[in-house]
Amino acid sequence: MKITLNGVPRDLNGPTVQQALTEIGLGQAKVATALNGDFLPAGIRTTTTLKDGDALEVVAPMQGG
Amino acid sequence: MPQFYGTHVESPLMLGTAQYPSPAIMAEAFRASGAGIATVSLRREGGQGQDFHALIKGLGVPVLPNTAGCHSVREAVTTAQMARELFDTPWIKLEVIRDDDTLCPDVIALVEAAKILADDGFQVFPYCTEDLSVCGRLLDAGCEVLMPWGAPIGSGRGLNNPYGLRSLRAHFPDVPLVVDAGIGLPSHAAQAMELGFDAVLLNTAVAKAGDPVAMARAMALAIEAGQLAHAANPIEARDMAAPSTPLFGMAVLG
């Protein structure tokens, strides 16, 4: 399916968010996710399916002030 | 030492983790200063986040994630929710920015976001202005700490409005107050503590100094000095001189 991943158009198989994360090499990574602007808790990534046009944000700890 | 939401913090210096020449220098700056809290952010994972997370955990200090860069209530709330899961903490340094030139907080959106987050169990550290009304609204919203700016983030201008900060201290004597942003020199940090603030949050002044480790130490010493001075009840400034050497007993020589 065609989604936007961190602002970049991507064609991923999915269909779940967790499978999409595994597909991009972040299946085990310490990341947080938001789907279409709403927080998506880690616990429901395996039961949340993606569809065409979805916007998935995947963030990680970073330097900050 | 400051206490935030019932948590005792080891030092009144809260230090950011951005803009250092290297991760090793950042870690050394934390060690040299004994900073009590490390601020961090969330950004799109580009491959560096995992190493950074390990580095932060190695600092051994509580982590305060921020919502830096957020311009709307929705962005800030979603970022806070992601931060809570990622860092396993209810603490959030809430930033909602209105103007990109000054990074001035959007205080209206800030109060709205603070209410949503406090109601959801977050312990909110709002980056705000020193406006008494805004600060009162933030307390009404459920905040138990206030973090007014000294000057715009990264400007190094020090305390732009010492009167306003002193007024805030007097107005809310029991609320933990932190000067967040604008510190450039140790003397600025000392001034904040002399005003009776509980802590100082800074980043750029240390990270962008020629020697960040030495500057981190200088900030820690200045903060300690300011804190001691405040507790020592400083004298009032006056317009006219008052001789400190006694006049009694002075020889008549002319």
Side-chain angles (χ1 to χ4, degrees):
Chain A
M1 70 205 63
K2 292 181 170 54
I3 67 162
T4 303
L5 173 71
N6 283 350
V8 179
R10 291 287 295 262
D11 200 346
L12 298 175
N13 292 324
T16 69
V17 171
Q18 184 59 41
Q19 285 167 322
L21 289 177
T22 302
E23 224 174 314
I24 60 172
L26 295 175
Q28 303 295 320
K30 187 81 175 166
V31 292
T33 49
L35 185 58
N36 300 322
D38 291 325
F39 172 53
L40 185 77
I44 59 170
R45 285 179 199 153
T46 54
T47 54
T48 303
T49 54
L50 293 164
K51 61 181 188 311
D52 278 335
D54 275 347
L56 180 65
E57 292 285 336
V58 182
V59 299
M62 215 60 72
Q63 294 83 353
Chain B
M1 290 300 132
Q3 193 164 318
F4 301 120
Y5 292 97
T7 297
H8 179 86
V9 176
E10 293 297 325
S11 163
L13 172 60
M14 302 161 71
L15 193 55
T17 57
Q19 299 183 298
Y20 292 83
S22 72
I25 290 176
M26 183 203 82
E28 188 55 32
F30 271 82
R31 274 191 290 275
S33 65
I37 286 177
T39 58
V40 295
S41 74
L42 295 183
R43 288 294 180 262
R44 287 169 167 170
E45 174 58 298
Q48 298 159 1
Q50 308 307 305
D51 287 347
F52 180 71
H53 196 225
L55 179 67
I56 288 300
K57 284 169 88 172
L59 296 177
V61 295
V63 168
L64 176 61
N66 69 28
T67 65
C70 290
H71 284 69
S72 71
V73 172
R74 189 182 188 209
E75 273 182 301
V77 168
T78 300
T79 301
Q81 290 167 329
M82 291 195 289
R84 179 164 62 178
E85 181 183 275
L86 206 47
F87 294 104
D88 195 25
T89 175
W91 285 6
I92 190 73
K93 176 184 165 183
L94 184 61
E95 297 183 38
V96 189
I97 299 302
R98 173 72 180 182
D99 174 66
D100 284 330
D101 285 334
T102 60
L103 295 178
C104 180
D106 180 340
V107 293
I108 309 297
L110 181 69
V111 171
E112 189 182 338
K115 175 90 173 89
I116 292 168
L117 292 171
D119 288 349
D120 190 24
F122 282 88
Q123 296 175 343
V124 180
F125 294 61
Y127 163 64
C128 55
T129 62
E130 70 279 18
D131 185 285
L132 290 178
S133 305
V134 168
C135 287
R137 293 283 184 184
L138 286 166
L139 297 176
D140 293 346
C143 296
E144 295 179 18
V145 53
L146 297 168
M147 303 210 299
W149 62 353
I153 295 171
S155 69
R157 297 178 61 84
L159 308 186
N160 266 351
N161 184 7
Y163 165 79
L165 295 171
R166 191 165 63 240
S167 177
L168 194 65
R169 177 72 289 175
H171 217 76
F172 301 112
D174 301 322
V175 177
L177 297 180
V178 181
V179 166
D180 175 10
I183 301 295
L185 291 168
S187 52
H188 301 152
Q191 189 187 7
M193 299 305 289
E194 286 164 3
L195 288 173
F197 273 64
D198 297 276
V200 172
L201 200 170
L202 55 92
N203 188 158
T204 308
V206 164
K208 301 296 272 185
D211 184 342
V213 176
M215 187 59 84
R217 178 90 179 116
M219 288 293 183
L221 292 170
I223 286 169
E224 187 181 353
Q227 191 176 31
L228 281 169
H230 177 71
N233 193 15
I235 64 165
E236 294 293 329
R238 48 180 285 156
D239 289 333
M240 303 301 286
S244 50
T245 303
L247 292 175
F248 177 76
M250 187 176 173
V252 178
L253 300 171

